[in-house]
Amino acid sequence: MKVRGNNNHKSMGGQVPEPTLRRLPGYLSYFKSLKINGIEHVSSSQIASTFNMDATLVTKDLSHTGIKGRTKIGYNVDKLIETIIVFLDFNTHENAFLFGVGNLGKALINYDGLKHYGLKIVAGFDVDPRVINTSVKDVKVYGVDDFRDLSRKIPARIGIITTPDGKAQETADYMVAWGIKAIWNFTPQSIKVPDNIVVENTSIYSDLAVILNKLNK
Amino acid sequence: MKVRGNNNHKSMGGQVPEPTLRRLPGYLSYFKSLKINGIEHVSSSQIASTFNMDATLVTKDLSHTGIKGRTKIGYNVDKLIETIIVFLDFNTHENAFLFGVGNLGKALINYDGLKHYGLKIVAGFDVDPRVINTSVKDVKVYGVDDFRDLSRKIPARIGIITTPDGKAQETADYMVAWGIKAIWNFTPQSIKVPDNIVVENTSIYSDLAVILNKLNK
DNA sequence: CAATAGTTGTTATTTTATTAACAATTCTTC
DNA sequence: GAAGAATTGTTAATAAAATAACAACTATTG
Ligand SMILES: NC(=O)c1ccc[n+]([C@@H]2O[C@H](COP(=O)([O-])OP(=O)(O)OC[C@H]3O[C@@H](n4cnc5c(N)ncnc54)[C@H](O)[C@@H]3O)[C@@H](O)[C@H]2O)c1
Ligand SMILES: NC(=O)c1ccc[n+]([C@@H]2O[C@H](COP(=O)([O-])OP(=O)(O)OC[C@H]3O[C@@H](n4cnc5c(N)ncnc54)[C@H](O)[C@@H]3O)[C@@H](O)[C@H]2O)c1
């Protein structure tokens, strides 16, 4: 019986490398600040120096988006912003449901930034009667039982999990059962879902581990 | 004049690969849940299946921590937990100051989890008079001007930035000036600091970019 | 208007990370 | 107590990412 080498966890869908995908939003934020400061062009070496990385890598990353720079001039900032936004689908308003309207859940709902990056949280769900039927900003909070009905009325492909750690799996199962296609899991708990469901785990502990490691040599 | 290939941003300090470091906290969380369920041993293939990855990689990751498994039995869960916690310095209580006690800053202070993972937020700083002199949980919020004095009284090497995007650089400069050794930046804005300062950027937009990319094929 | 230097964009090389192969170990069963 | 199966741990091969090398282009300067 084979035990190893049998798992294909590489998505292999698009051809753009994930590291590139992860760097692009950082560039975008930088380009936006350049625009605010009235700067019209930027070169790969300037970008590289800002992010403390190699200029060739910047060039390669940007080439994936299809943008063209001009020799001796660099890239046009407006064009960069527009191109990256479209490339990353940050222009499409993707609806999302959020489960667990606690500390982090509220922060995310209150967070204005997300809507500029393609995501709109359309409803919150919780089990705590003190939270149910309240509103955070203009987002209403429902009991989890209302999810079934609501997921029919409001189409949303993304589900955000900010419940307590132990509730991550059951929440994921519930989301999948009612049609969610991608799960954004802020819990440190690993979740199991069918292969066709997209899962992204955002774990601040990984970042913390890196910080502590570097700090302690 | 050389333009490319001149940046060394690889820390090169420890010999444990960063991807490994980033996976270990996830394993740890899983092992803790196993312990709660009374499970005493776990094999690399079980772990691998939980995280949808290759079992060899798990073995390699764990070998970095120095833990030994037993053939035909697997790894001892208690030992795994203890070893990883020590390995990642999650047992040392590292003090941290947090700048920007808004939505996210409050969520982080309120978050119980961090203290089990080596981090203790000892004070918050803000510019908003409505927030200054309040407390979040048992953590007091001071005006940013009090930072100088407080950083002498309470030793802390880590600074957390949860200010608005535009204030990230000035906050970082201020932190560095008063002795902070590592900066955890939750802002999408890139910051520049001296080479000897550790910087970790936590950007949820990178995760979002990956989700949207996978979702749209 | 020729020379220069900054710059893009592509291809080649090197480094790093992941996966595969396999030898060694040891529990379990007959 | 021998045989078989599950498992670790190491070494080898492959794949992926980052870096280097370089050719082509074009604003600027003398
Ligand atoms: N607070 C942070 O800054 C932070 C940072 C990173 C990760 N996290 C993670 O995010 C998660 C939430 O953390 P938090 O601090 O917001 O916790 P919290 O306790 O403040 O919020 C959890 C919320 O989930 C609700 N809930 C419980 N069971 C539920 C269920 N089955 N369905 C829907 N809602 C349910 C609770 O009523 C509560 O409102 C945790 O897993 C934590 O590890 C938090
Ligand atoms: N809210 C979220 O869920 C979330 C998620 C990811 C990233 N972020 C990022 O975190 C940052 C903060 O977001 P937020 O939603 O908490 O914003 P917020 O406006 O709620 O909080 C910002 C706080 O910083 C304070 N502040 C302003 N200038 C300051 C200064 N110079 N020094 C110290 N404090 C200062 C403000 O008074 C305010 O209290 C932003 O950069 C945002 O992009 C937020």
Side-chain angles (χ1 to χ4, degrees):
Chain A
M1 180 196 294
K2 85 181 144 156
V3 176
R4 285 177 175 168
N6 51 338
N7 281 316
N8 62 328
H9 76 298
K10 271 272 97 87
S11 69
M12 230 337 260
Q15 64 274 58
V16 50
E18 188 168 311
T20 294
L21 223 43
R22 293 193 164 277
R23 283 187 293 264
L24 285 170
Y27 299 151
L28 177 59
S29 170
Y30 170 58
F31 299 148
K32 283 181 174 173
S33 77
L34 289 180
K35 186 183 167 77
I36 288 170
N37 286 90
I39 295 166
E40 292 182 2
H41 293 91
V42 64
S43 72
S44 61
S45 51
Q46 282 176 276
I47 301 166
S49 136
T50 299
F51 289 91
N52 210 40
M53 60 191 289
D54 192 281
T56 309
L57 189 49
V58 172
T59 304
K60 260 194 182 167
D61 284 345
L62 294 180
S63 78
H64 281 288
T65 69
I67 197 165
K68 298 284 173 201
R70 281 175 62 199
T71 298
K72 201 74 200 276
I73 297 282
Y75 300 87
N76 177 275
V77 170
D78 283 336
K79 208 64 171 284
L80 279 170
I81 293 172
E82 191 193 312
T83 306
I84 295 177
I85 286 177
V86 172
F87 184 78
L88 295 177
D89 298 308
F90 284 170
N91 56 331
T92 66
H93 291 288
E94 190 77 42
N95 287 341
F97 290 126
L98 183 146
F99 275 63
V101 189
N103 287 307
L104 182 58
K106 281 193 189 114
L108 285 172
I109 295 173
N110 273 314
Y111 185 34
D112 253 347
L114 287 176
K115 72 159 168 273
H116 299 294
Y117 289 78
L119 198 77
K120 187 180 175 198
I121 299 175
V122 289
F125 296 90
D126 209 295
V127 292
D128 187 337
R130 287 168 300 180
V131 187
I132 295 171
N133 288 325
T134 64
S135 280
V136 179
K137 248 178 149 191
D138 55 341
V139 176
K140 282 201 182 140
V141 181
Y142 301 88
V144 289
D145 295 334
D146 295 332
F147 178 53
R148 198 188 104 171
D149 286 344
L150 236 83
S151 66
R152 302 233 175 125
K153 280 199 213 120
I154 311 176
R157 295 196 295 168
I158 297 181
I160 301 173
I161 304 182
T162 49
T163 63
D165 302 2
K167 298 292 159 61
Q169 185 61 59
E170 69 180 62
T171 303
D173 293 342
Y174 196 49
M175 284 177 166
V176 171
W178 295 107
I180 288 293
K181 293 284 177 273
I183 293 178
W184 196 354
N185 177 26
F186 282 84
T187 286
Q189 206 74 27
S190 145
I191 55 175
K192 282 214 153 182
V193 294
D195 271 357
N196 60 317
I197 304 291
V198 174
V199 174
E200 183 69 21
N201 297 299
T202 294
S203 168
I204 62 171
Y205 296 132
S206 295
D207 296 320
L208 186 51
V210 173
I211 292 176
L212 293 177
N213 180 263
K214 288 185 182 164
L215 205 46
N216 300 317
K217 183 92 82 198
Chain B
M1 181 196 292
K2 88 179 146 170
V3 176
R4 285 178 173 165
N6 50 337
N7 281 315
N8 63 328
H9 75 300
K10 270 271 97 89
S11 69
M12 230 336 260
Q15 63 274 59
V16 50
E18 189 169 310
T20 294
L21 223 43
R22 294 193 163 277
R23 283 188 292 264
L24 285 170
Y27 299 152
L28 177 58
S29 170
Y30 171 57
F31 299 149
K32 282 181 174 175
S33 78
L34 290 180
K35 186 183 164 79
I36 288 170
N37 286 90
I39 295 165
E40 292 182 3
H41 292 91
V42 65
S43 72
S44 60
S45 50
Q46 281 177 276
I47 301 167
S49 135
T50 299
F51 289 90
N52 210 39
M53 60 192 288
D54 192 282
T56 309
L57 190 49
V58 172
T59 305
K60 263 198 179 161
D61 283 345
L62 294 180
S63 78
H64 282 288
T65 69
I67 197 166
K68 298 284 173 200
R70 281 175 63 200
T71 298
K72 200 71 199 283
I73 298 282
Y75 300 88
N76 177 277
V77 170
D78 283 336
K79 207 65 171 283
L80 279 169
I81 293 172
E82 191 193 313
T83 306
I84 294 177
I85 286 177
V86 171
F87 184 77
L88 295 177
D89 297 308
F90 283 170
N91 56 332
T92 67
H93 291 288
E94 191 77 43
N95 287 340
F97 290 125
L98 182 146
F99 275 63
V101 188
N103 287 309
L104 183 58
K106 280 192 188 114
L108 286 172
I109 295 174
N110 272 315
Y111 185 34
D112 253 347
L114 286 175
K115 71 160 171 274
H116 299 294
Y117 288 77
L119 199 77
K120 188 180 174 196
I121 299 175
V122 290
F125 297 90
D126 208 295
V127 292
D128 187 336
R130 286 168 300 180
V131 188
I132 295 171
N133 287 325
T134 64
S135 280
V136 180
K137 249 180 147 190
D138 55 341
V139 175
K140 283 200 181 139
V141 182
Y142 302 88
V144 289
D145 295 333
D146 294 332
F147 178 51
R148 197 188 107 172
D149 285 346
L150 235 83
S151 66
R152 302 233 174 125
K153 281 199 211 117
I154 311 176
R157 295 196 295 169
I158 298 181
I160 301 172
I161 303 182
T162 49
T163 63
D165 302 2
K167 297 293 160 60
Q169 185 62 60
E170 70 181 60
T171 303
D173 293 342
Y174 195 50
M175 284 176 166
V176 171
W178 295 107
I180 288 294
K181 293 282 177 276
I183 293 179
W184 195 355
N185 177 27
F186 282 83
T187 284
Q189 206 74 27
S190 146
I191 54 175
K192 282 214 151 181
V193 295
D195 271 356
N196 61 317
I197 305 292
V198 174
V199 175
E200 183 70 19
N201 298 298
T202 295
S203 169
I204 63 171
Y205 297 130
S206 295
D207 295 319
L208 185 51
V210 173
I211 293 176
L212 293 178
N213 180 264
K214 288 183 181 165
L215 205 47
N216 300 320
K217 183 94 79 187

